[in-house]
Each structure stands twice: as C-alpha cells, then as structure tokens.
Amino acid sequence: MKLLEYAVRREWPPVVGAALFVSLLAAGYYYNLTFVQLGLFDLGVNRVGMTHTAVSLGMALLALLAFCSAVATGVALDRTGWSRDLLVKLRLVLGVVLTQLVLTAAAPFVAAPAHFFAWIVVCALSLGVGMPTTLSLTIDFVPVRDRGYVAAAVAGLSFFVAAIYPLEWSVEEFSLVMVAAMVPGSVAIGVLASGRVGLVETLAEQHEEFGVGRFCRPDPVRTRSLPFWTLVALLFGVFFIDSLGFLRLVETPTYIFTSWQSPDLRVRLFIACAHVVGAAMAGVLYTNFERQWLFLWVLGLFSFTHLLYTFDTRVAGAGEPPLLLPFFYVLAVSFYTTLNFALWPDLSTPETIGTHSAIGLGMAGFLATFLSTGVALYFRALEVSLSDHLSIVNALALLLFVGLAVLLYVRRMIVLARAETT
C-alpha cells in the first residue's frame, strides 16, 4: 500500500488526508443510509401521517432532484476549474453540511405533507451538490494504488455503524445522533476550509500526483465514450436490482428478524461484521482485478443471493430464515458499494472528476433508486406476490450476469482472432 510507504517514511500529510477522506465520506454515507433512507420513512408515515405510497413518491422525487442537482454541480466543478481547487471544494462541503445540519434538526418538527415535500426538495438539492464535490476530493487525498482499500474502509465503516446504531428507526433518534455528530464535524471542516491551515496547502498539491485515475492510463476515459457509459449502465443495473429486491424484503415480516431491523443485537452485529468482511474482500479484489471481472463478482453474488431468497419463499416454512441469506446479501451490497466509491475517480482525471462522479453516483445510484421505487409501486398495485417479485429480481440479476460473461467471452475471441490474422 502506498499509504503504508508514506507512514514508514514519516510523510504524514498523505496519511492524514486519507484518514480525513474516509471520515468525511463514511459520515456522509452513514447519513444517507440511516437518516435519508430510513428516518424519512418514519417521518412521513408515523409523524406526518402519509401513506406508504405517498412517502415512496417523495423518496423518488428526492432521488430525481438529487440526480439533476449532482449533474449540474459536477459539470460546473469541471468547467470552472473548482474540481482542482481543494479549498473551494472544502467550502462547498461545509455549506452542504451546514444545510443538512439545519434540515436534520428541523426534521422532527415537520408536521404536514407540504412541509415534508419542501424538506425533501432542499435536502435533494444539497445532496446533489455534496455528492460529486465530496467524491472529487479523492484526487486530493487518496493515492491511486490505494483507492480500493480506502473505498473498502469507507463502505465497511459506514455499514458497520449503520447496522449497529441507532437501535430504533425513528426520526427523533436519527436526528439526535446526526446533530450530535454534525456539530463538531462542521467545526472541523470549517477550520480546514478557512484557508489558514498549512496541511490543506500541502494536500491541495497532491492532485498533481494522485489526479489521473487507474483506468485513465495511458489514455483518459472520455465522458462520451462507450466504455464509460457501459460501466454506468452496469452499475445502474446493480443499484436497480438491489433496490427492487430490498424494497420488497423490508416490507416482509419474515425477513425483518434477520435484517438491520432485527430486535436481536447479535443478529445486527453479525450483519455489521459481514459488511466489513465483504468490503475488505472487495477492496482486495478491486486492487488486483480489472473492472469487468469486478462487475462479474457483484452480479454473480446478487444472482446467488436472490436465488437463495427465491428458494426460501417457495420451499421454507413460516419460521425465521437462516442468517446465510442476509450474509450473502450484505456481501453483495458491500462489494458494489466499494466498487462505486473507487470506480468513478479511477475513470477520471482532474479535468473530468466532477462530471464523472456526478453521472456515476447520480445515475447509477439515485436515478436507479428512483426507477426501482416506481416499479416496486407498480408491482404493489398489481398485487404481485413476494415469490414472483423476487423471481423477477433474480431473473434480472442472472440476465446481467450471463450477458456480461458472454460479452467478455466474445470480446476475448475477437482479440485472439485479430492476433492470429496479424
């Protein structure tokens, strides 16, 4: 690891920068996993009194607005040159954190559907600004060789804490935890963004060494190229499959006892540790394999996981399902989350990091979630059974897995045929 080499040579700025990046991105992802994805549901249904469908539509609106805001921000970062200016990015992140702090503190007082949707609009716009800005800090803080390990640390840390705490999924609990963490965090970011810290000046020069991603050597990946959009489509498919299956599983009482909502702390600790194991495995694989094989791993895991759930719904009794099911599920989630954090910076240069991060995170993450929410609502209106719902998800995962394997095989045959003719 490059960071270990820096530590052995006592060159601390790169090590401190990587630690800052892991802390910042893990905190942001924890906020998104818990308060945005889980706390808002409690706020809309239990506090405001909205129906599940209305809250799901609100979440879909949040995803769509966040995607649009992210793309606009990412393009602006690259065109203005701010994506290469660490101080500007830190000040933008500070603005996002302060906005989210006010929103989080105000959330328990939202009492009407109009206020709920207004809250969602402001939250979506700030998330859209924060997404590409935060991920573009990769070129300032993380050596190219270590991006898989650093992404694994972010995914493992955020999932571990989210699976353990808070124990109650209520907006008051989420709000209290978040505000307590965001106040000192915003002070720390404010100090770094003040322009009076020498460490920031040192870190601001690192993008000249860390800026060009792993997959941009020797030639940069262009935004309008087929390889870039193929990867966007693949990760979009992964997010879509995960969200479509997850939205149904969390509504099924049988599976709640082996999920993050389990009242048994031992089950939650098991899931949290599985997340860490999955992220660590993904970090090693990301560092040592090419991108196409990483997607095969992710899609293969999702196919196997949903196959297990499909069999369980068809042949198992009414008892509690085995922990093997959530184990493979969290492995798959940790795998693709690690891949998502490392891939877009490695497909970028300092001139494209804002746009590529925005398209990658926004389209693969938020837009896929928006569409899968709509499809899940459509299935519910058609009264699709749990077994059929999971069979469709499994079929999509298998289709992508087999399709990618065939595509890689055909491409390999073409390369070999061309080599023989020359």
Side-chain angles (χ1 to χ4, degrees):
M1 287 181 66
K2 191 73 175 174
L3 288 171
L4 283 180
E5 294 177 11
Y6 285 125
V8 170
R9 296 199 299 262
R10 298 181 181 277
E11 296 178 23
W12 298 116
V15 179
V16 174
L20 284 172
F21 180 79
V22 170
S23 305
L24 187 60
L25 199 57
Y29 197 59
Y30 174 80
Y31 179 85
N32 189 53
L33 283 172
T34 56
F35 190 80
V36 176
Q37 293 190 18
L38 305 175
L40 280 189
F41 193 80
D42 175 71
L43 176 64
V45 174
N46 299 325
R47 309 296 167 184
V48 183
M50 299 166 65
T51 64
H52 285 214
T53 302
V55 174
S56 297
L57 288 174
M59 299 294 285
L61 173 67
L62 183 145
L64 186 60
L65 287 177
F67 166 69
C68 296
S69 173
V71 172
T73 302
V75 172
L77 283 172
D78 289 341
R79 291 189 176 180
T80 58
W82 288 353
S83 57
R84 301 182 291 281
D85 191 327
L86 176 58
L87 207 53
V88 170
K89 288 187 286 188
L90 286 174
R91 287 169 180 170
L92 284 173
V93 171
L94 177 63
V96 171
V97 172
L98 290 176
T99 304
Q100 294 293 339
L101 175 60
V102 173
L103 287 171
T104 305
F109 303 100
V110 173
H115 299 161
F116 178 80
F117 281 103
W119 193 100
I120 275 184
V121 169
V122 179
C123 180
L125 295 176
S126 63
L127 283 177
V129 174
M131 243 185 331
T133 307
T134 307
L135 196 61
S136 66
L137 292 172
T138 307
I139 64 172
D140 304 292
F141 291 154
V142 187
V144 175
R145 193 195 303 174
D146 295 347
R147 284 180 179 171
Y149 300 122
V150 170
V154 172
L157 181 61
S158 53
F159 277 125
F160 183 86
V161 179
I164 296 294
Y165 194 81
L167 299 177
E168 296 292 333
W169 286 10
S170 67
V171 69
E172 287 87 356
E173 189 87 10
F174 285 130
S175 178
L176 185 65
V177 172
M178 296 302 167
V179 169
M182 291 168 82
V183 169
S186 58
V187 172
I189 298 172
V191 171
L192 293 173
S194 66
R196 299 179 179 178
V197 180
L199 174 66
V200 175
E201 294 181 8
T202 304
L203 295 173
E205 298 174 356
Q206 290 190 152
H207 73 266
E208 296 177 2
E209 180 183 354
F210 300 165
V212 180
R214 169 185 169 190
F215 303 122
C216 288
R217 301 176 182 190
D219 300 316
V221 176
R222 292 182 292 109
T223 307
R224 296 182 181 180
S225 64
L226 181 61
F228 178 77
W229 285 100
T230 301
L231 295 172
V232 171
L234 281 172
L235 211 47
F236 178 94
V238 171
F239 270 91
F240 183 86
I241 290 167
D242 177 33
S243 297
L244 190 58
F246 178 76
L247 287 170
R248 188 59 184 263
L249 288 174
V250 295
E251 293 181 348
T252 306
T254 307
Y255 296 115
I256 285 178
F257 294 102
T258 54
S259 71
W260 282 11
Q261 287 179 287
S262 172
D264 189 340
L265 185 59
R266 293 172 300 176
V267 173
R268 298 172 75 144
L269 187 60
F270 172 82
I271 292 174
C273 291
H275 271 300
V276 174
V277 171
M281 291 169 62
V284 173
L285 291 173
Y286 182 88
T287 305
N288 294 284
F289 285 85
E290 289 297 322
R291 52 198 170 189
Q292 58 267 28
W293 300 110
L294 298 169
F295 276 100
L296 267 184
W297 276 97
V298 172
L299 292 170
L301 264 178
F302 263 120
S303 302
F304 182 66
T305 300
H306 284 292
L307 198 61
L308 290 176
Y309 274 103
T310 304
F311 278 136
D312 190 72
T313 59
R314 291 181 184 278
V315 302
E320 190 173 300
L323 284 176
L324 189 67
L325 274 66
F327 175 74
F328 277 102
Y329 197 98
V330 299
L331 278 186
V333 170
S334 291
F335 259 65
Y336 86 74
T337 304
T338 301
L339 178 60
N340 192 38
F341 286 143
L343 181 65
W344 307 117
D346 271 346
L347 290 170
S348 308
T349 65
E351 289 73 30
T352 58
I353 181 71
T355 304
H356 287 188
S357 297
I359 293 174
L361 293 180
M363 195 160 185
F366 280 90
L367 200 58
T369 304
F370 166 76
L371 288 177
S372 63
T373 302
V375 173
L377 290 173
Y378 179 69
F379 283 175
R380 180 187 296 174
L382 293 179
E383 298 182 348
V384 175
S385 68
L386 172 65
S387 178
D388 289 342
H389 186 120
L390 294 181
S391 295
I392 292 171
V393 175
N394 189 38
L396 288 173
L398 282 171
L399 181 65
L400 280 175
F401 175 70
V402 174
L404 180 59
V406 170
L407 187 65
L408 291 176
Y409 176 78
V410 170
R411 196 180 72 166
R412 181 61 181 166
M413 290 301 103
I414 292 173
V415 170
L416 291 175
R418 286 177 177 172
E420 288 181 359
T421 54
T422 56

